[in-house]
């Protein structure tokens, strides 16, 4: 009896122990599968998995801590290049900015004093400010417009490709292209060729801008580029108004000049012609057989300083004035001899900076468009459709929803372009001609001119480099902070 009870108790104790050991690893009394046995020879205290190891306390140790020479070996080439190409030039430029022009003596802050008192450098500061304000804003605005407008059209991809294509062209090549575009001569410059075509459509051009009378001609200068006859005219004999100064090749297609018949009704007649024969002899003031007529010349009859009649010469150079012109002086207005419209002086002192900014926008608007289009692709379409359902027109959808959602992208594009224009050099140096280069000057160009372009003062050039660095660093810091803030969202 006693032995049986003891056996039963022993059996129940073993069952309870087994049950307890099975329930311990589980949660809520659920039994867990037994842990697999460790392989033969494996250590029960430490082990390694991949690039980290574990200690008895459960902490993992990275390879960089256990083997720091591996990380150094990988970083050393990059650090050497960074130090040689970035750190050393910066440190040396700061040191050189306090030295004299040839680097033989210490100059202190004299170089910085010269920078901020030199008129040319102050012009460069002003132009850089214009660049920073205008160029990034216009590029970003155009990029936003292009990205939004081409989102729904079928040919949007092709249009974006055309707008982005200038990015594949170097600054040097773009500068050469726009130097030709802005040429003053309309026969060579595309901008002035288009501008003069529009101008000549709405304004009359001078038929013979090079014409002028001889010294012994019956015409004399009357001020403002006009010419008036020395005496009065009448209807009894035709008036002769000879002109010279026109290249024969320009009048080669003109018809021979004629002398009009005497008018019997009191009208005043006359002829305007080129009083010159190439390779031959002609009598001054008389219409010879081979001399060319000057058509399209305006002739006015003036009495007591007032115009009483006006006529225009025909193809044969003749003109007819009414009887009111009898006894008047004949006047050839200055409009007959005005120089032809030659377009806009794009590269002159006034427009050279806006013209160069225009070439920069042509290159970088595509860059802004691509980045903004990528951000626009991530805008939730549900918000746009909901706004349209609620009655908002496309302008309100764009202004109230699209632009605010794209604000981070627009900020990144604007700041990136600001950094880029602070260092602009190529376009300004190539496009601006020598006569107006001073008016288009920027800090990077002034740095080059002072150091290597004839100034031979690397002390002042280094001071400009330090100032340019100080201007770029805050914008770079702002951009980095913005990127970090966006990455944490």
């Amino acid at each position: 009896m006693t032995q049986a009870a003891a056996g039963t108790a022993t059996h129940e104790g073993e069952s309870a122990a087994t049950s307890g050991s099975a329930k311990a690893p589980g949660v809520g009394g659920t039994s867990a599968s037994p842990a697999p046995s460790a392989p033969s020879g494996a250590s029960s205290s430490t082990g390694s998995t991949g690039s980290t190891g574990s200690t008895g306390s459960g902490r993992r140790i990275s390879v960089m801590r256990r083997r720091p020479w591996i990380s150094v070996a990988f970083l050393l080439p990059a650090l050497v290049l960074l130090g040689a190409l970035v750190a050393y030039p910066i440190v040396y430029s700061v040191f050189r900015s306090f030295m004299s022009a040839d680097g033989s003596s210490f100059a202190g802050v004299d170089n910085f004093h010269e920078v901020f008192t030199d008129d040319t450098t102050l012009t460069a500061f002003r132009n850089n400010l214009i660049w920073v304000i205008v160029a990034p804003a216009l590029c970003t605005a155009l990029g936003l417009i292009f990205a939004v407008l081409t989102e729904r059209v079928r040919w949007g991809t092709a249009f974006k490709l055309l707008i982005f294509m200038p990015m594949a062209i170097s600054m040097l090549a773009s500068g050469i292209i726009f130097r030709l575009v802005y040429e003053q001569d309309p026969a060579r410059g595309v901008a002035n060729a288009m501008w003069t075509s529009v101008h000549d459509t709405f304004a009359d051009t001078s038929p013979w801008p090079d014409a002028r009378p001889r010294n012994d001609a019956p015409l004399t200068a009357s001020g403002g580029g006009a010419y008036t006859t020395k005496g009065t005219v009448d209807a009894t004999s035709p008036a002769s108004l000879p002109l010279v100064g026109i290249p024969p090749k320009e009048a080669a297609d003109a018809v021979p000049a004629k002398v009009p018949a005497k008018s019997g009704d009191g009208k005043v007649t006359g002829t305007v012609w080129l009083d010159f024969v190439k390779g031959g002899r002609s009598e001054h003031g008389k219409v010879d057989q081979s001399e060319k007529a000057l058509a399209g010349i305006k002739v006015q009859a003036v009495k007591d300083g007032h115009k009483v009649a006006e006529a225009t010469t025909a193809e044969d150079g003749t003109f007819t004035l009414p009887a009111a012109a009898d006894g008047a002086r004949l006047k050839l207005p200055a409009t007959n001899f005005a120089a032809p419209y030659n377009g806009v002086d794009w590269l002159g002192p006034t427009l050279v900076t806006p013209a160069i900014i225009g070439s920069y926008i042509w290159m970088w608007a595509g860059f802004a468009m691509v980045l903004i289009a990528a951000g626009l692709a991530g805008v939730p379409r549900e918000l746009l459709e909901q706004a349209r359902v609620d009655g908002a027109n496309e302008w309100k959808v764009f202004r109230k929803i699209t632009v605010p959602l794209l604000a981070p992208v627009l900020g990144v594009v604007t700041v990136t372009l600001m950094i880029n224009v602070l260092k602009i050099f190529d376009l300004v140096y190539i496009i601006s001609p020598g006569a107006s280069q001073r008016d288009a000057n920027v800090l990077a160009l002034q740095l080059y001119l002072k150091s290597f372009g004839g100034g031979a003062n690397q002390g002042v050039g280094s001071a400009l480099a330090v100032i340019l660095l100080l201007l770029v660093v805050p914008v770079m810091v702002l951009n980095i902070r913005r990127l970090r803030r966006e990455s944490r969202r």
Side-chain angles (χ1 to χ4, degrees), residues 138-153 156 159-160 163-164 361-362 364-366 368-370 372-373 376 398:
L138 290 180
C139 281
T140 305
L142 286 176
L144 176 62
I145 293 172
F146 292 154
V148 172
L149 293 182
T150 58
E151 186 184 19
R152 297 183 179 182
V153 297
F159 180 80
K160 290 178 181 178
I163 297 298
F164 187 74
I361 294 173
W362 176 77
W364 288 87
M369 178 196 65
V370 169
I372 295 172
L376 189 62
F398 173 76

PDB file of all heavy atoms in Angstrom, residues 138-153 156 159-160 163-164 361-362 364-366 368-370 372-373 376 398:
ATOM      1  N   LEU A 138      12.387  82.654 -62.729  1.00  0.00           N
ATOM      2  CA  LEU A 138      11.812  82.442 -64.055  1.00  0.00           C
ATOM      3  C   LEU A 138      11.944  80.987 -64.507  1.00  0.00           C
ATOM      4  O   LEU A 138      11.015  80.431 -65.106  1.00  0.00           O
ATOM      5  CB  LEU A 138      12.486  83.367 -65.059  1.00  0.00           C
ATOM      6  CG  LEU A 138      12.167  84.864 -64.917  1.00  0.00           C
ATOM      7  CD1 LEU A 138      12.903  85.667 -65.985  1.00  0.00           C
ATOM      8  CD2 LEU A 138      10.675  85.103 -65.021  1.00  0.00           C
ATOM      9  N   CYS A 139      13.082  80.377 -64.236  1.00  0.00           N
ATOM     10  CA  CYS A 139      13.254  78.961 -64.606  1.00  0.00           C
ATOM     11  C   CYS A 139      12.235  78.085 -63.892  1.00  0.00           C
ATOM     12  O   CYS A 139      11.617  77.202 -64.496  1.00  0.00           O
ATOM     13  CB  CYS A 139      14.671  78.501 -64.264  1.00  0.00           C
ATOM     14  SG  CYS A 139      15.932  79.012 -65.450  1.00  0.00           S
ATOM     15  N   THR A 140      12.051  78.320 -62.592  1.00  0.00           N
ATOM     16  CA  THR A 140      11.102  77.515 -61.817  1.00  0.00           C
ATOM     17  C   THR A 140       9.677  77.754 -62.295  1.00  0.00           C
ATOM     18  O   THR A 140       8.890  76.805 -62.436  1.00  0.00           O
ATOM     19  CB  THR A 140      11.229  77.846 -60.326  1.00  0.00           C
ATOM     20  OG1 THR A 140      12.591  77.667 -59.913  1.00  0.00           O
ATOM     21  CG2 THR A 140      10.337  76.949 -59.497  1.00  0.00           C
ATOM     22  N   ALA A 141       9.328  79.013 -62.549  1.00  0.00           N
ATOM     23  CA  ALA A 141       7.970  79.321 -63.019  1.00  0.00           C
ATOM     24  C   ALA A 141       7.697  78.675 -64.378  1.00  0.00           C
ATOM     25  O   ALA A 141       6.631  78.058 -64.577  1.00  0.00           O
ATOM     26  CB  ALA A 141       7.784  80.836 -63.098  1.00  0.00           C
ATOM     27  N   LEU A 142       8.636  78.790 -65.305  1.00  0.00           N
ATOM     28  CA  LEU A 142       8.442  78.173 -66.617  1.00  0.00           C
ATOM     29  C   LEU A 142       8.411  76.653 -66.510  1.00  0.00           C
ATOM     30  O   LEU A 142       7.621  75.991 -67.190  1.00  0.00           O
ATOM     31  CB  LEU A 142       9.554  78.611 -67.568  1.00  0.00           C
ATOM     32  CG  LEU A 142       9.468  80.048 -68.090  1.00  0.00           C
ATOM     33  CD1 LEU A 142      10.684  80.373 -68.946  1.00  0.00           C
ATOM     34  CD2 LEU A 142       8.201  80.246 -68.907  1.00  0.00           C
ATOM     35  N   GLY A 143       9.281  76.093 -65.667  1.00  0.00           N
ATOM     36  CA  GLY A 143       9.263  74.647 -65.478  1.00  0.00           C
ATOM     37  C   GLY A 143       7.936  74.168 -64.926  1.00  0.00           C
ATOM     38  O   GLY A 143       7.405  73.125 -65.344  1.00  0.00           O
ATOM     39  N   LEU A 144       7.363  74.933 -63.981  1.00  0.00           N
ATOM     40  CA  LEU A 144       6.060  74.572 -63.427  1.00  0.00           C
ATOM     41  C   LEU A 144       4.972  74.656 -64.485  1.00  0.00           C
ATOM     42  O   LEU A 144       4.123  73.761 -64.598  1.00  0.00           O
ATOM     43  CB  LEU A 144       5.745  75.501 -62.250  1.00  0.00           C
ATOM     44  CG  LEU A 144       4.370  75.339 -61.594  1.00  0.00           C
ATOM     45  CD1 LEU A 144       4.219  73.947 -61.003  1.00  0.00           C
ATOM     46  CD2 LEU A 144       4.167  76.406 -60.520  1.00  0.00           C
ATOM     47  N   ILE A 145       4.988  75.711 -65.281  1.00  0.00           N
ATOM     48  CA  ILE A 145       3.974  75.866 -66.338  1.00  0.00           C
ATOM     49  C   ILE A 145       4.085  74.746 -67.366  1.00  0.00           C
ATOM     50  O   ILE A 145       3.080  74.132 -67.751  1.00  0.00           O
ATOM     51  CB  ILE A 145       4.127  77.241 -67.000  1.00  0.00           C
ATOM     52  CG1 ILE A 145       3.778  78.350 -66.000  1.00  0.00           C
ATOM     53  CG2 ILE A 145       3.240  77.345 -68.234  1.00  0.00           C
ATOM     54  CD1 ILE A 145       4.085  79.739 -66.503  1.00  0.00           C
ATOM     55  N   PHE A 146       5.294  74.455 -67.811  1.00  0.00           N
ATOM     56  CA  PHE A 146       5.480  73.387 -68.793  1.00  0.00           C
ATOM     57  C   PHE A 146       5.037  72.036 -68.233  1.00  0.00           C
ATOM     58  O   PHE A 146       4.396  71.249 -68.935  1.00  0.00           O
ATOM     59  CB  PHE A 146       6.949  73.317 -69.213  1.00  0.00           C
ATOM     60  CG  PHE A 146       7.410  74.495 -70.011  1.00  0.00           C
ATOM     61  CD1 PHE A 146       8.748  74.860 -70.015  1.00  0.00           C
ATOM     62  CD2 PHE A 146       6.517  75.239 -70.761  1.00  0.00           C
ATOM     63  CE1 PHE A 146       9.180  75.953 -70.752  1.00  0.00           C
ATOM     64  CE2 PHE A 146       6.939  76.335 -71.495  1.00  0.00           C
ATOM     65  CZ  PHE A 146       8.274  76.689 -71.488  1.00  0.00           C
ATOM     66  N   ALA A 147       5.399  71.762 -66.976  1.00  0.00           N
ATOM     67  CA  ALA A 147       5.055  70.463 -66.385  1.00  0.00           C
ATOM     68  C   ALA A 147       3.548  70.291 -66.247  1.00  0.00           C
ATOM     69  O   ALA A 147       3.004  69.204 -66.508  1.00  0.00           O
ATOM     70  CB  ALA A 147       5.725  70.320 -65.011  1.00  0.00           C
ATOM     71  N   VAL A 148       2.838  71.356 -65.870  1.00  0.00           N
ATOM     72  CA  VAL A 148       1.389  71.258 -65.674  1.00  0.00           C
ATOM     73  C   VAL A 148       0.657  71.198 -67.014  1.00  0.00           C
ATOM     74  O   VAL A 148      -0.262  70.389 -67.194  1.00  0.00           O
ATOM     75  CB  VAL A 148       0.897  72.448 -64.821  1.00  0.00           C
ATOM     76  CG1 VAL A 148      -0.627  72.474 -64.774  1.00  0.00           C
ATOM     77  CG2 VAL A 148       1.461  72.360 -63.407  1.00  0.00           C
ATOM     78  N   LEU A 149       1.073  72.034 -67.965  1.00  0.00           N
ATOM     79  CA  LEU A 149       0.352  72.099 -69.238  1.00  0.00           C
ATOM     80  C   LEU A 149       0.552  70.858 -70.093  1.00  0.00           C
ATOM     81  O   LEU A 149      -0.322  70.503 -70.886  1.00  0.00           O
ATOM     82  CB  LEU A 149       0.790  73.340 -70.025  1.00  0.00           C
ATOM     83  CG  LEU A 149       0.395  74.692 -69.418  1.00  0.00           C
ATOM     84  CD1 LEU A 149       0.855  75.832 -70.317  1.00  0.00           C
ATOM     85  CD2 LEU A 149      -1.103  74.777 -69.192  1.00  0.00           C
ATOM     86  N   THR A 150       1.709  70.225 -69.972  1.00  0.00           N
ATOM     87  CA  THR A 150       1.984  69.044 -70.806  1.00  0.00           C
ATOM     88  C   THR A 150       1.570  67.745 -70.137  1.00  0.00           C
ATOM     89  O   THR A 150       1.828  66.670 -70.681  1.00  0.00           O
ATOM     90  CB  THR A 150       3.490  68.970 -71.134  1.00  0.00           C
ATOM     91  OG1 THR A 150       4.238  68.918 -69.909  1.00  0.00           O
ATOM     92  CG2 THR A 150       3.924  70.180 -71.932  1.00  0.00           C
ATOM     93  N   GLU A 151       0.921  67.834 -68.977  1.00  0.00           N
ATOM     94  CA  GLU A 151       0.569  66.610 -68.262  1.00  0.00           C
ATOM     95  C   GLU A 151      -0.521  65.822 -68.969  1.00  0.00           C
ATOM     96  O   GLU A 151      -0.531  64.598 -68.939  1.00  0.00           O
ATOM     97  CB  GLU A 151       0.118  66.948 -66.831  1.00  0.00           C
ATOM     98  CG  GLU A 151      -0.118  65.726 -65.969  1.00  0.00           C
ATOM     99  CD  GLU A 151      -0.649  66.093 -64.605  1.00  0.00           C
ATOM    100  OE1 GLU A 151      -1.170  67.231 -64.455  1.00  0.00           O
ATOM    101  OE2 GLU A 151      -0.559  65.279 -63.688  1.00  0.00           O
ATOM    102  N   ARG A 152      -1.439  66.530 -69.639  1.00  0.00           N
ATOM    103  CA  ARG A 152      -2.596  65.850 -70.209  1.00  0.00           C
ATOM    104  C   ARG A 152      -2.564  65.735 -71.733  1.00  0.00           C
ATOM    105  O   ARG A 152      -3.397  65.036 -72.300  1.00  0.00           O
ATOM    106  CB  ARG A 152      -3.875  66.605 -69.816  1.00  0.00           C
ATOM    107  CG  ARG A 152      -4.125  66.628 -68.316  1.00  0.00           C
ATOM    108  CD  ARG A 152      -5.441  67.325 -68.018  1.00  0.00           C
ATOM    109  NE  ARG A 152      -5.734  67.357 -66.605  1.00  0.00           N
ATOM    110  CZ  ARG A 152      -6.836  67.880 -66.082  1.00  0.00           C
ATOM    111  NH1 ARG A 152      -7.750  68.404 -66.874  1.00  0.00           N
ATOM    112  NH2 ARG A 152      -7.014  67.884 -64.781  1.00  0.00           N
ATOM    113  N   VAL A 153      -1.659  66.435 -72.381  1.00  0.00           N
ATOM    114  CA  VAL A 153      -1.649  66.385 -73.836  1.00  0.00           C
ATOM    115  C   VAL A 153      -0.940  65.139 -74.331  1.00  0.00           C
ATOM    116  O   VAL A 153      -0.057  64.591 -73.665  1.00  0.00           O
ATOM    117  CB  VAL A 153      -0.963  67.655 -74.404  1.00  0.00           C
ATOM    118  CG1 VAL A 153      -1.750  68.897 -74.032  1.00  0.00           C
ATOM    119  CG2 VAL A 153       0.455  67.774 -73.902  1.00  0.00           C
ATOM    120  N   GLY A 156       2.865  65.489 -74.982  1.00  0.00           N
ATOM    121  CA  GLY A 156       3.586  66.084 -73.859  1.00  0.00           C
ATOM    122  C   GLY A 156       5.007  65.563 -73.710  1.00  0.00           C
ATOM    123  O   GLY A 156       5.932  66.324 -73.396  1.00  0.00           O
ATOM    124  N   PHE A 159       7.241  67.203 -76.245  1.00  0.00           N
ATOM    125  CA  PHE A 159       7.491  68.601 -75.875  1.00  0.00           C
ATOM    126  C   PHE A 159       8.507  68.683 -74.742  1.00  0.00           C
ATOM    127  O   PHE A 159       9.421  69.520 -74.771  1.00  0.00           O
ATOM    128  CB  PHE A 159       6.176  69.258 -75.463  1.00  0.00           C
ATOM    129  CG  PHE A 159       6.329  70.698 -75.059  1.00  0.00           C
ATOM    130  CD1 PHE A 159       6.416  71.693 -76.008  1.00  0.00           C
ATOM    131  CD2 PHE A 159       6.394  71.042 -73.717  1.00  0.00           C
ATOM    132  CE1 PHE A 159       6.555  73.021 -75.640  1.00  0.00           C
ATOM    133  CE2 PHE A 159       6.541  72.367 -73.339  1.00  0.00           C
ATOM    134  CZ  PHE A 159       6.618  73.358 -74.300  1.00  0.00           C
ATOM    135  N   LYS A 160       8.372  67.826 -73.740  1.00  0.00           N
ATOM    136  CA  LYS A 160       9.330  67.825 -72.632  1.00  0.00           C
ATOM    137  C   LYS A 160      10.729  67.475 -73.118  1.00  0.00           C
ATOM    138  O   LYS A 160      11.722  68.029 -72.631  1.00  0.00           O
ATOM    139  CB  LYS A 160       8.887  66.827 -71.561  1.00  0.00           C
ATOM    140  CG  LYS A 160       7.636  67.260 -70.807  1.00  0.00           C
ATOM    141  CD  LYS A 160       7.219  66.201 -69.793  1.00  0.00           C
ATOM    142  CE  LYS A 160       5.959  66.620 -69.061  1.00  0.00           C
ATOM    143  NZ  LYS A 160       5.515  65.579 -68.091  1.00  0.00           N
ATOM    144  N   ILE A 163      12.184  70.610 -74.667  1.00  0.00           N
ATOM    145  CA  ILE A 163      12.531  71.617 -73.669  1.00  0.00           C
ATOM    146  C   ILE A 163      13.772  71.191 -72.885  1.00  0.00           C
ATOM    147  O   ILE A 163      14.615  72.024 -72.529  1.00  0.00           O
ATOM    148  CB  ILE A 163      11.347  71.857 -72.711  1.00  0.00           C
ATOM    149  CG1 ILE A 163      10.149  72.409 -73.482  1.00  0.00           C
ATOM    150  CG2 ILE A 163      11.739  72.820 -71.600  1.00  0.00           C
ATOM    151  CD1 ILE A 163      10.396  73.744 -74.131  1.00  0.00           C
ATOM    152  N   PHE A 164      13.920  69.896 -72.638  1.00  0.00           N
ATOM    153  CA  PHE A 164      15.049  69.409 -71.845  1.00  0.00           C
ATOM    154  C   PHE A 164      16.320  69.261 -72.689  1.00  0.00           C
ATOM    155  O   PHE A 164      17.417  69.230 -72.127  1.00  0.00           O
ATOM    156  CB  PHE A 164      14.691  68.054 -71.224  1.00  0.00           C
ATOM    157  CG  PHE A 164      15.727  67.543 -70.258  1.00  0.00           C
ATOM    158  CD1 PHE A 164      15.856  68.099 -68.993  1.00  0.00           C
ATOM    159  CD2 PHE A 164      16.584  66.522 -70.621  1.00  0.00           C
ATOM    160  CE1 PHE A 164      16.815  67.642 -68.112  1.00  0.00           C
ATOM    161  CE2 PHE A 164      17.543  66.050 -69.751  1.00  0.00           C
ATOM    162  CZ  PHE A 164      17.656  66.620 -68.481  1.00  0.00           C
ATOM    163  N   ILE A 361      18.000  80.725 -69.114  1.00  0.00           N
ATOM    164  CA  ILE A 361      16.657  80.148 -68.946  1.00  0.00           C
ATOM    165  C   ILE A 361      16.385  79.129 -70.039  1.00  0.00           C
ATOM    166  O   ILE A 361      15.762  78.089 -69.791  1.00  0.00           O
ATOM    167  CB  ILE A 361      15.609  81.273 -68.943  1.00  0.00           C
ATOM    168  CG1 ILE A 361      15.786  82.158 -67.699  1.00  0.00           C
ATOM    169  CG2 ILE A 361      14.196  80.717 -68.997  1.00  0.00           C
ATOM    170  CD1 ILE A 361      14.918  83.392 -67.701  1.00  0.00           C
ATOM    171  N   TRP A 362      16.837  79.407 -71.263  1.00  0.00           N
ATOM    172  CA  TRP A 362      16.661  78.448 -72.353  1.00  0.00           C
ATOM    173  C   TRP A 362      17.301  77.106 -72.012  1.00  0.00           C
ATOM    174  O   TRP A 362      16.776  76.051 -72.379  1.00  0.00           O
ATOM    175  CB  TRP A 362      17.283  79.032 -73.617  1.00  0.00           C
ATOM    176  CG  TRP A 362      17.254  78.125 -74.807  1.00  0.00           C
ATOM    177  CD1 TRP A 362      16.186  77.852 -75.604  1.00  0.00           C
ATOM    178  CD2 TRP A 362      18.357  77.368 -75.335  1.00  0.00           C
ATOM    179  NE1 TRP A 362      16.559  76.973 -76.604  1.00  0.00           N
ATOM    180  CE2 TRP A 362      17.876  76.660 -76.466  1.00  0.00           C
ATOM    181  CE3 TRP A 362      19.693  77.221 -74.974  1.00  0.00           C
ATOM    182  CZ2 TRP A 362      18.684  75.833 -77.217  1.00  0.00           C
ATOM    183  CZ3 TRP A 362      20.500  76.399 -75.728  1.00  0.00           C
ATOM    184  CH2 TRP A 362      20.004  75.711 -76.833  1.00  0.00           C
ATOM    185  N   TRP A 364      18.114  75.929 -68.709  1.00  0.00           N
ATOM    186  CA  TRP A 364      17.781  75.318 -67.429  1.00  0.00           C
ATOM    187  C   TRP A 364      16.296  75.216 -67.138  1.00  0.00           C
ATOM    188  O   TRP A 364      15.910  74.616 -66.125  1.00  0.00           O
ATOM    189  CB  TRP A 364      18.479  76.080 -66.304  1.00  0.00           C
ATOM    190  CG  TRP A 364      19.945  75.821 -66.293  1.00  0.00           C
ATOM    191  CD1 TRP A 364      20.909  76.473 -66.995  1.00  0.00           C
ATOM    192  CD2 TRP A 364      20.627  74.800 -65.554  1.00  0.00           C
ATOM    193  NE1 TRP A 364      22.144  75.943 -66.750  1.00  0.00           N
ATOM    194  CE2 TRP A 364      22.001  74.907 -65.865  1.00  0.00           C
ATOM    195  CE3 TRP A 364      20.217  73.813 -64.661  1.00  0.00           C
ATOM    196  CZ2 TRP A 364      22.959  74.072 -65.319  1.00  0.00           C
ATOM    197  CZ3 TRP A 364      21.164  72.975 -64.109  1.00  0.00           C
ATOM    198  CH2 TRP A 364      22.516  73.108 -64.437  1.00  0.00           C
ATOM    199  N   ALA A 365      15.435  75.771 -67.977  1.00  0.00           N
ATOM    200  CA  ALA A 365      13.999  75.602 -67.762  1.00  0.00           C
ATOM    201  C   ALA A 365      13.609  74.131 -67.901  1.00  0.00           C
ATOM    202  O   ALA A 365      12.708  73.643 -67.199  1.00  0.00           O
ATOM    203  CB  ALA A 365      13.209  76.457 -68.753  1.00  0.00           C
ATOM    204  N   GLY A 366      14.288  73.400 -68.788  1.00  0.00           N
ATOM    205  CA  GLY A 366      14.013  71.974 -68.928  1.00  0.00           C
ATOM    206  C   GLY A 366      14.380  71.189 -67.684  1.00  0.00           C
ATOM    207  O   GLY A 366      13.683  70.238 -67.296  1.00  0.00           O
ATOM    208  N   ALA A 368      14.289  72.319 -64.581  1.00  0.00           N
ATOM    209  CA  ALA A 368      13.223  72.582 -63.612  1.00  0.00           C
ATOM    210  C   ALA A 368      11.956  71.824 -63.981  1.00  0.00           C
ATOM    211  O   ALA A 368      11.272  71.272 -63.106  1.00  0.00           O
ATOM    212  CB  ALA A 368      12.949  74.083 -63.540  1.00  0.00           C
ATOM    213  N   MET A 369      11.638  71.767 -65.270  1.00  0.00           N
ATOM    214  CA  MET A 369      10.424  71.081 -65.707  1.00  0.00           C
ATOM    215  C   MET A 369      10.462  69.594 -65.361  1.00  0.00           C
ATOM    216  O   MET A 369       9.466  69.034 -64.879  1.00  0.00           O
ATOM    217  CB  MET A 369      10.254  71.259 -67.214  1.00  0.00           C
ATOM    218  CG  MET A 369       9.055  70.555 -67.794  1.00  0.00           C
ATOM    219  SD  MET A 369       9.157  70.417 -69.592  1.00  0.00           S
ATOM    220  CE  MET A 369      10.579  69.335 -69.759  1.00  0.00           C
ATOM    221  N   VAL A 370      11.595  68.940 -65.571  1.00  0.00           N
ATOM    222  CA  VAL A 370      11.697  67.499 -65.311  1.00  0.00           C
ATOM    223  C   VAL A 370      11.519  67.209 -63.823  1.00  0.00           C
ATOM    224  O   VAL A 370      10.776  66.292 -63.431  1.00  0.00           O
ATOM    225  CB  VAL A 370      13.044  66.965 -65.825  1.00  0.00           C
ATOM    226  CG1 VAL A 370      13.281  65.549 -65.342  1.00  0.00           C
ATOM    227  CG2 VAL A 370      13.079  67.000 -67.338  1.00  0.00           C
ATOM    228  N   ILE A 372      10.012  69.093 -61.528  1.00  0.00           N
ATOM    229  CA  ILE A 372       8.650  69.413 -61.108  1.00  0.00           C
ATOM    230  C   ILE A 372       7.666  68.389 -61.649  1.00  0.00           C
ATOM    231  O   ILE A 372       6.702  68.014 -60.968  1.00  0.00           O
ATOM    232  CB  ILE A 372       8.291  70.834 -61.568  1.00  0.00           C
ATOM    233  CG1 ILE A 372       9.184  71.853 -60.851  1.00  0.00           C
ATOM    234  CG2 ILE A 372       6.833  71.147 -61.286  1.00  0.00           C
ATOM    235  CD1 ILE A 372       9.051  73.261 -61.372  1.00  0.00           C
ATOM    236  N   ALA A 373       7.883  67.905 -62.870  1.00  0.00           N
ATOM    237  CA  ALA A 373       7.004  66.871 -63.421  1.00  0.00           C
ATOM    238  C   ALA A 373       7.083  65.587 -62.600  1.00  0.00           C
ATOM    239  O   ALA A 373       6.073  64.902 -62.397  1.00  0.00           O
ATOM    240  CB  ALA A 373       7.382  66.594 -64.876  1.00  0.00           C
ATOM    241  N   LEU A 376       5.056  66.270 -59.621  1.00  0.00           N
ATOM    242  CA  LEU A 376       3.639  66.316 -59.978  1.00  0.00           C
ATOM    243  C   LEU A 376       3.055  64.925 -60.148  1.00  0.00           C
ATOM    244  O   LEU A 376       1.863  64.705 -59.890  1.00  0.00           O
ATOM    245  CB  LEU A 376       3.479  67.117 -61.271  1.00  0.00           C
ATOM    246  CG  LEU A 376       2.064  67.468 -61.713  1.00  0.00           C
ATOM    247  CD1 LEU A 376       1.392  68.344 -60.678  1.00  0.00           C
ATOM    248  CD2 LEU A 376       2.091  68.174 -63.065  1.00  0.00           C
ATOM    249  N   PHE A 398      -5.045  74.684 -59.522  1.00  0.00           N
ATOM    250  CA  PHE A 398      -3.602  74.887 -59.655  1.00  0.00           C
ATOM    251  C   PHE A 398      -3.050  75.716 -58.496  1.00  0.00           C
ATOM    252  O   PHE A 398      -2.011  75.381 -57.910  1.00  0.00           O
ATOM    253  CB  PHE A 398      -3.326  75.585 -60.990  1.00  0.00           C
ATOM    254  CG  PHE A 398      -1.906  76.010 -61.181  1.00  0.00           C
ATOM    255  CD1 PHE A 398      -0.920  75.091 -61.498  1.00  0.00           C
ATOM    256  CD2 PHE A 398      -1.549  77.339 -61.030  1.00  0.00           C
ATOM    257  CE1 PHE A 398       0.396  75.488 -61.668  1.00  0.00           C
ATOM    258  CE2 PHE A 398      -0.236  77.745 -61.203  1.00  0.00           C
ATOM    259  CZ  PHE A 398       0.732  76.813 -61.520  1.00  0.00           C
TER     260      PHE A 398
END
